[in-house]
């Protein structure tokens, strides 16, 4: 297994259990004012499918797609993902595009800034975040840092051909999870993220 980290920790049963408990968190999913779809070109398909399903299930009023990076095809992430959402049945009139963000913090900050510009920020009291399952807690912690008052939920996307429970058995999945595991404490110390408030982000044990 080759990971991005220079010295990835050894996967012991104890570490796997701790990662499952702390990093790969689950929240309740109920009707929300907004789906915040974090942009990506590595796992875009899986993320878009989750967001489109939330729409089809009547769980979100709007989908805000945030992503300013450019894909290999030369298209902005947000534009690419928007087109797939429309093809999946989400009305274009209910999709908001944020096309400047290049990292998770900017995804959140630029998104609520855009909502303020559009005059709908105050109408958003609850958000379902959609992004890679391996970064589940980091999305929520970033929302907690920059948008503490909003009710936060998470609908994770899994691009791998194994279940989330089997992540240690898939080399690429395991590397991605361990990479995320290594980010949390440095990000906390740097102030990029904040620990979750159970009142605004109830975690399912």
């Amino acid at each position: 297994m080759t990971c991005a980290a220079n010295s990835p920790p050894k996967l012991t049963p104890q570490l796997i259990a701790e990662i499952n408990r702390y990093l790969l968190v689950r929240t309740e999913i109920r009707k929300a004012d907004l789906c915040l779809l974090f942009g990506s070109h590595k796992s875009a398909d899986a993320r878009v499918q989750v967001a489109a399903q939330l729409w089809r299930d009547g769980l979100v009023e709007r989908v805000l797609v945030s992503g300013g990076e450019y894909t290999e095809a030369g298209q902005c992430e947000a534009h690419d993902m928007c087109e797939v959402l429309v093809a999946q049945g989400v009305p274009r009139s209910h999709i908001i595009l944020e096309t400047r963000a290049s990292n998770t913090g900017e995804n959140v900050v630029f998104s609520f800034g855009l909502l303020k510009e559009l005059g709908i920020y105050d109408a958003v009291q609850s958000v379902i975040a959609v992004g890679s399952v391996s970064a589940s807690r980091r999305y929520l912690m970033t929302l907690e840092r920059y948008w503490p008052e909003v009710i936060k939920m998470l609908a994770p996307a899994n691009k791998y051909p194994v279940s989330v429970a089997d992540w240690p058995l898939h080399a690429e999945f395991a590397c991605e999870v361990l990479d995320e595991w290594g980010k949390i404490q440095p990000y906390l110390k740097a102030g990029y993220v904040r620990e979750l408030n159970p009142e605004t982000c109830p975690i399912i044990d």
Side-chain angles (χ1 to χ4, degrees):
M1 181 169 65
T2 303
C3 293
N6 291 329
S7 300
K10 182 179 179 181
L11 274 179
T12 63
Q14 293 79 11
L15 178 58
I16 291 171
E18 180 64 11
I19 288 173
N20 287 337
R21 182 195 67 80
Y22 182 80
L23 188 70
L24 305 180
V25 294
R26 297 182 302 132
T27 71
E28 63 175 356
I29 296 291
R30 53 184 173 81
K31 189 173 177 64
D33 300 315
L34 183 74
C35 168
L36 177 53
L37 176 54
F38 287 82
S40 170
H41 52 272
K42 294 181 179 179
S43 60
D45 289 344
R47 298 181 189 208
V48 168
Q49 294 302 321
V50 171
Q53 191 62 54
L54 291 171
W55 172 266
R56 289 192 292 266
D57 290 343
L59 289 168
V60 291
E61 299 288 338
R62 299 180 179 91
V63 179
L64 194 164
V65 190
S66 174
E69 296 289 316
Y70 281 83
T71 66
E72 292 180 359
Q75 283 273 70
C76 179
E77 287 172 337
H79 287 294
D80 267 5
M81 296 172 84
C82 173
E83 292 307 313
V84 181
L85 283 171
V86 171
Q88 291 287 322
V90 182
R92 196 178 297 271
S93 60
H94 288 260
I95 300 173
I96 303 168
L97 298 184
E98 186 291 301
T99 59
R100 295 187 299 144
S102 60
N103 59 55
T104 305
E106 290 182 351
N107 287 137
V108 175
V109 173
F110 292 168
S111 290
F112 71 65
L114 179 57
L115 292 172
K116 289 179 179 179
E117 291 176 15
L118 295 172
I120 55 179
Y121 176 80
D122 291 338
V124 177
Q125 304 296 316
S126 54
V127 172
I128 300 177
V130 174
S132 173
V133 64
S134 61
S136 291
R137 191 177 191 98
R138 184 162 60 86
Y139 294 127
L140 295 170
M141 293 174 76
T142 304
L143 281 165
E144 186 65 45
R145 164 65 177 84
Y146 295 105
W147 204 353
E149 68 276 12
V150 77
I151 299 298
K152 306 159 195 68
M153 293 168 276
L154 175 77
N158 177 14
K159 69 177 181 179
Y160 295 106
V162 298
S163 69
V164 176
D166 287 334
W167 67 265
L169 305 179
H170 189 282
E172 186 180 351
F173 199 171
C175 285
E176 189 175 294
V177 168
L178 289 172
D179 184 49
E180 285 293 334
W181 180 249
K183 290 177 180 178
I184 295 294
Q185 291 305 315
Y187 279 25
L188 270 170
K189 290 179 181 178
Y192 299 151
V193 297
R194 183 178 294 167
E195 276 296 358
L196 301 178
N197 178 354
E199 293 185 3
T200 58
C201 185
I203 299 298
I204 298 172
D205 294 329

